[in-house]
Amino acid sequence: MTETAIACCVPLAAPKLDEDEAIATAQLFKALSDPGRVRIVNLVATSDEPVCACELYEPLGLSQPTVSHHLRTLVDAGLLDREQRGKWAYFSLRRDAVEKLAAVADLKGACC
Amino acid sequence: MTETAIACCVPLAAPKLDEDEAIATAQLFKALSDPGRVRIVNLVATSDEPVCACELYEPLGLSQPTVSHHLRTLVDAGLLDREQRGKWAYFSLRRDAVEKLAAVADLKGACC
């Protein structure tokens, strides 16, 4: 479990944001700064069931190593949970990540 | 005005996300994938007034060229508005960007 990036990132409109919090917040956004990873999160988010890595290659049009790399990045960022079932790994959204991402990105009230 | 990234990015949990939308969404997150840019958005978000570029160098501990580069990236991504006042440029959050970012990052209901 790697919850670090999730645990200490803070909303963009937080009253004070120190350097460590800025790094953690940027890391969370960085995990979503690639179109392939955006599409993986979208495919997992729109599935009722955990999604097998093997179901991602074709719709994404990406190689197995590339998909594996993206999945590892998303798990490391705390956005996806990984569950091994026999030969294949299955992925689902982490509830706390979903809430944290929405909170971090929320600038309403700060502006404009 | 560069509204492209903002205009066509879509929520991570959108029912369908094509390659162009994934690229635009990833670009918006990429603009916030750097700790310096996170801190700039934070400083602008927590200010009642537009913020002069000249007020950012010291709190960020970054050079003028680096701050200028980050500001350009945030304006290009449609997150900040730039207003020239004599010698200095002043920056404020774009209301539509604020709403779009919150919408894009919103995965609630998609999960878990």
Side-chain angles (χ1 to χ4, degrees):
Chain A
M1 287 311 215
T2 53
E3 296 200 39
T4 320
I6 298 300
C8 58
C9 52
V10 299
L12 282 170
K16 282 192 177 182
L17 187 79
D18 68 26
E19 184 61 21
D20 287 344
E21 290 167 334
I23 291 170
T25 301
Q27 279 174 340
L28 185 61
F29 287 121
K30 190 164 192 172
L32 292 165
S33 69
D34 176 278
R37 292 198 288 275
V38 165
R39 295 187 71 200
I40 288 173
V41 170
N42 177 252
L43 287 169
V44 173
T46 53
S47 167
D48 293 333
E49 305 283 333
V51 176
C52 176
C54 60
E55 296 174 80
L56 294 169
Y57 311 136
E58 199 201 313
L60 293 171
L62 296 174
S63 70
Q64 182 164 351
T66 301
V67 170
S68 294
H69 166 74
H70 286 329
L71 286 168
R72 206 158 39 235
T73 302
L74 291 167
V75 170
D76 286 349
L79 288 167
L80 295 187
D81 262 334
R82 181 187 194 282
E83 181 199 346
Q84 192 74 29
R85 295 187 196 166
K87 184 185 167 194
W88 293 104
Y90 285 73
F91 297 86
S92 51
L93 283 181
R94 284 185 58 158
R95 183 185 299 271
D96 59 348
V98 168
E99 285 165 11
K100 189 62 80 173
L101 184 62
V104 164
D106 189 0
L107 284 164
K108 286 176 190 163
C111 131
C112 297
Chain B
M1 288 309 214
T2 51
E3 296 199 40
T4 319
I6 298 298
C8 58
C9 52
V10 299
L12 282 170
K16 283 192 177 183
L17 187 80
D18 68 26
E19 184 60 24
D20 287 345
E21 291 167 333
I23 291 170
T25 302
Q27 279 174 341
L28 186 60
F29 286 121
K30 191 165 192 173
L32 293 165
S33 68
D34 177 278
R37 292 199 288 276
V38 165
R39 296 187 70 198
I40 288 172
V41 170
N42 177 251
L43 288 168
V44 172
T46 52
S47 167
D48 293 333
E49 305 281 333
V51 176
C52 177
C54 59
E55 297 174 79
L56 292 169
Y57 312 136
E58 200 202 312
L60 293 172
L62 297 173
S63 70
Q64 182 164 348
T66 300
V67 170
S68 294
H69 166 74
H70 286 328
L71 286 167
R72 206 159 39 239
T73 301
L74 291 167
V75 170
D76 286 350
L79 290 166
L80 296 188
D81 262 333
R82 181 187 193 283
E83 182 198 346
Q84 193 73 31
R85 295 186 195 167
K87 184 184 167 194
W88 292 105
Y90 285 72
F91 296 86
S92 51
L93 283 182
R94 285 185 58 158
R95 183 185 299 271
D96 58 348
V98 168
E99 285 165 12
K100 189 62 82 173
L101 184 62
V104 164
D106 189 0
L107 282 165
K108 287 175 191 166
C111 132
C112 295

